[in-house]
Amino acid sequence: MRSNTTGAVSTPAAVSTEGTDELPQDVQRDVDLVADLVAAGFTGPLWQQTADELYAYAFKPLLSAMRRTHKLADLCAKSATPLVITDEDRGTLYRSAPDRERLAILTISVAMETFPQVLKDAGYAPAGNRGKDGRLTRLTSFFYGRCGLVFPRVLQNWRTEQTDRFVHHAVRMSDGTLLHALGQDSPETVPECVADLCDTLTTMINGLKPRNRAVWLLTVDGLSQGEIAEVLDIKVGDVENARYAFRSKVRQARRSGKLAIPPEIRSEWARTKTTKAVAR
């Protein structure tokens, strides 16, 4: 029997002792460690050291799993929250190291919050909860499994935060915004064909997902790729991808005849091209 920090007597482990006589030494050390942590009330240097070791163990595998979603699906298979990954999520997790790191830190933090109670409730039972290959689970692996249980919920919250930030900048584009950006909002009458083109492009931009719409609204406002990336807290490559995707959509609309470029705009393009060539 061990006495805890309040002086009360507690059972040594709050851990299943089924078959502990035959536990391998490393697993037995983990069982004894949990008993000591429970007795200490999960406070003090021992808990801090253990928490640091659990964090270090889980961090890199989480980063790796986020780049290979089949591994992520396996990790989260037993979670009460279904793992839903959109194509945009998948692309972001594969390309963006900062986003993967933030998600890993959030996941570990959430898992760590409840881990002491899980251990108090005898949640770590290596003899009764063997891995897929029949091996007994170490405490580090058990904690990593807990990370898989909370990750889907963490991902949902992260996605909402991301969307909220983009929505803040992705206000609906008003009629005339493109006309103003093109210098076509002078007191002179704007050709109807030019106004129709701007209306069509405005509708297309307003139909984009929040992040891509925010990118194009800031583009129309005259911000550079680097400035847009800084405002939206995304990578320059994400800005480039958003611009390329919309340009491709516009090119496809032109080829299919759904989007016509007025002669006035074509003439302006030719004039600008000639001016640049002379300047060189």
Side-chain angles (χ1 to χ4, degrees):
M1 304 289 281
R2 303 173 186 266
S3 58
N4 59 25
T5 54
T6 63
V9 176
S10 62
T11 56
V15 175
S16 173
T17 57
E18 178 186 352
T20 52
D21 290 342
E22 299 178 359
L23 293 179
Q25 288 186 357
D26 55 353
V27 177
Q28 184 62 57
R29 281 195 297 269
D30 285 346
V31 171
D32 293 339
L33 171 61
V34 171
D36 290 337
L37 292 171
V38 171
F42 294 91
T43 59
L46 181 61
W47 168 239
Q48 187 59 56
Q49 178 183 343
T50 303
D52 289 345
E53 291 175 354
L54 294 174
Y55 178 100
Y57 179 87
F59 186 69
K60 288 186 177 180
L62 277 172
L63 296 181
S64 176
M66 279 184 266
R67 294 199 70 187
R68 298 168 177 81
T69 49
H70 66 283
K71 287 188 175 182
L72 199 57
D74 289 342
L75 176 63
C76 303
K78 295 183 180 180
S79 175
T81 303
L83 177 64
V84 179
I85 302 181
T86 66
D87 289 340
E88 187 171 355
D89 292 337
R90 188 174 289 105
T92 298
L93 293 179
Y94 185 81
R95 294 190 303 269
S96 176
D99 284 316
R100 289 196 302 273
E101 290 171 0
R102 174 165 172 74
L103 272 169
I105 292 170
L106 289 172
T107 299
I108 292 171
S109 297
V110 172
M112 195 71 74
E113 287 175 2
T114 57
F115 201 53
Q117 189 59 53
V118 170
L119 297 181
K120 289 179 184 178
D121 294 341
Y124 177 56
N129 296 291
R130 295 176 180 269
K132 293 181 179 180
D133 56 1
R135 298 178 62 183
L136 298 177
T137 303
R138 294 292 309 275
L139 184 62
T140 47
S141 298
F142 179 67
F143 176 74
Y144 184 59
R146 297 293 306 177
C147 290
L149 298 182
V150 305
F151 181 85
R153 178 161 49 91
V154 172
L155 179 64
Q156 286 182 359
N157 293 337
W158 171 82
R159 185 187 298 124
T160 300
E161 290 176 1
Q162 294 283 95
T163 302
D164 287 347
R165 183 173 70 248
F166 298 143
V167 168
H168 175 72
H169 295 281
V171 294
R172 307 295 288 185
M173 182 179 283
S174 61
D175 294 338
T177 301
L178 279 175
L179 283 171
H180 175 74
L182 294 171
Q184 298 288 333
D185 59 345
S186 64
E188 300 178 5
T189 302
V190 176
E192 184 177 351
C193 56
V194 174
D196 288 344
L197 171 64
C198 290
D199 288 344
T200 301
L201 291 173
T202 296
T203 300
M204 292 176 68
I205 291 174
N206 284 337
L208 297 173
K209 292 181 179 179
R211 184 176 74 173
N212 289 2
R213 188 164 77 245
V215 166
W216 273 97
L217 283 168
L218 295 174
T219 298
V220 171
D221 284 343
L223 274 68
S224 67
Q225 289 189 155
E227 290 170 334
I228 294 172
E230 183 176 354
V231 169
L232 298 181
D233 192 24
I234 59 179
K235 298 177 69 175
V236 172
D238 293 329
V239 177
E240 293 175 348
N241 289 338
R243 287 182 168 184
Y244 176 80
F246 184 70
R247 289 191 182 108
S248 297
K249 190 175 182 180
V250 171
R251 282 196 295 269
Q252 184 177 1
R254 288 179 59 189
R255 292 181 185 128
S256 65
K258 295 179 181 179
L259 184 68
I261 305 300
E264 291 84 351
I265 297 294
R266 291 182 182 276
S267 298
E268 181 61 21
W269 285 349
R271 186 190 68 79
T272 302
K273 186 176 181 180
T274 301
T275 300
K276 288 182 179 179
V278 171
R280 290 173 184 169

